[in-house]
Amino acid sequence: MNLHVINGPNLNLLGKREKSIYGDESFEPFFASLQKLFPEIQLEYFQSNSEGEIIDKIHEIGFESDGIILNAGAYTHTSLAIADAIAAVTTPVVEVHISNVHAREPIRHHSYLAKNCVGVIAGFGLNSYRLAIQSFIR
Ligand code: DQA
């Protein structure tokens, strides 16, 4: 099985960014620990701050990958275009958030993406990604 983690804008700053919300761990070492935890899964990682690049990546892998774990960051709450990209491909997508977006500002309560995803995992810190990977293991 191969799974792709896609991180959206500002998530390249994990470990430096608003540590009280997102923690003090940067993503790359965490991702390496996920690869060790799930040696049977081919795990790939892509990050972009650009909406178009995220859409291009979904198009590129979205007919071949076994699953996409997508944290679209703030685009979650704004991007009909990413929602359409998720609907356009055949690969199932799990929406992930580090923080509990429902306990935050009202603008973060709505996701354009969720209705096109198989599920949403939010609020478990970086463990949200681990839970999303586990959701693909039957
Ligand atoms: C986030 C939540 C979003 O509201 C925010 O814009 C992010 C990160 C999360 O992982 O908690 O950039 O997706």
Side-chain angles (χ1 to χ4, degrees), residues 1 3 40-41 66-67 92 94 118 133-138:
M1 174 161 66
L3 299 177
E40 72 283 12
I41 299 175
D66 295 313
V94 172
V118 290
I133 290 168
Q134 280 170 335
S135 76
F136 284 102
I137 301 171
R138 283 162 219 286

Side-chain angles (χ1 to χ4, degrees), residues 9 11 17 22 71 73-74 76-77 96-99 101 104 108:
L11 293 165
R17 169 195 187 199
Y22 300 113
N71 185 347
T76 305
H77 319 298
V96 157
H97 300 285
I98 297 163
S99 64
V101 284
R104 299 181 63 191
R108 295 183 203 275

Side-chain angles (χ1 to χ4, degrees), residues 29-76:
F30 174 73
F31 185 71
S33 75
L34 286 178
Q35 287 175 309
K36 276 198 188 138
L37 196 61
F38 298 102
E40 72 283 12
I41 299 175
Q42 193 189 327
L43 274 177
E44 309 280 345
Y45 172 53
F46 175 79
Q47 190 277 330
S48 175
N49 294 318
S50 151
E51 187 176 23
E53 285 182 7
I54 293 167
I55 292 166
D56 286 344
K57 191 68 184 177
I58 292 169
H59 292 177
E60 179 195 323
I61 62 175
F63 295 91
E64 289 155 20
S65 175
D66 295 313
I68 296 174
I69 293 150
L70 174 63
N71 185 347
Y75 288 140
T76 305

Side-chain angles (χ1 to χ4, degrees), residues 2 84 133:
N2 70 324
D84 283 351
I133 290 168

